[in-house]
Amino acid sequence: MKIFIVIGVFAMAVGVVLGAFGAHGLKTRIEPNLLAAYQTGVEYHLYHALGLILIGLLAYQFPDVSALKWGAWCLMWGVLLFSGSLYLMAITGIRWLGAITPLGGTAFIIGWVWIGWALIRSA
């Protein structure tokens, strides 16, 4: 499960880069509502990158809970679908990409519920 700590750390770095790009590179180039969507993508990206690090650390505390990895994979898919669709929508202006965003949100929800359930079952 160390892989999720590593992925989370690098996802944090990418999130910071994308946040800076949005704040400095996109601020005057895209519509305010698209910039807000982009910033939402960055926010959720960073939260869930921290979540991946947390799951990796939890795996050391609960080494027999293999279901933690499935929750972590859901969070990773959530970042790609939720944040990725918002990034692409903001940069390209293709608004139908926003229809992908709820799939990522659903992956986030499933991931966190899965993690919670896995920890409850381990007690």
Side-chain angles (χ1 to χ4, degrees):
M1 294 289 281
K2 178 180 174 183
I3 188 68
F4 293 113
I5 297 172
V6 172
I7 291 169
V9 166
F10 283 107
M12 286 296 293
V14 170
V16 171
V17 168
L18 291 172
F21 174 67
H24 302 290
L26 294 178
K27 191 173 186 178
T28 60
R29 294 192 170 131
I30 63 174
E31 300 172 27
N33 62 331
L34 290 176
L35 184 60
Y38 185 92
Q39 290 170 335
T40 298
V42 170
E43 188 176 337
Y44 278 76
H45 179 145
L46 292 173
Y47 291 154
H48 289 86
L50 282 174
L52 288 169
I53 295 168
L54 173 66
I55 294 163
L57 294 173
L58 282 171
Y60 285 103
Q61 181 69 29
F62 302 97
D64 296 332
V65 183
S66 62
L68 287 174
K69 71 179 175 185
W70 295 108
W73 286 116
C74 286
L75 296 188
M76 286 179 46
W77 276 106
V79 170
L80 291 172
L81 293 171
F82 184 92
S83 296
S85 65
L86 291 176
Y87 297 148
L88 288 173
M89 181 182 71
I91 291 169
T92 65
I94 301 171
R95 296 186 185 270
W96 67 261
L97 289 167
I100 297 169
T101 308
L103 297 174
T106 301
F108 287 149
I109 294 165
I110 291 169
W112 287 116
V113 169
W114 198 309
I115 292 160
W117 181 250
L119 291 171
I120 288 168
R121 289 189 48 202
S122 74

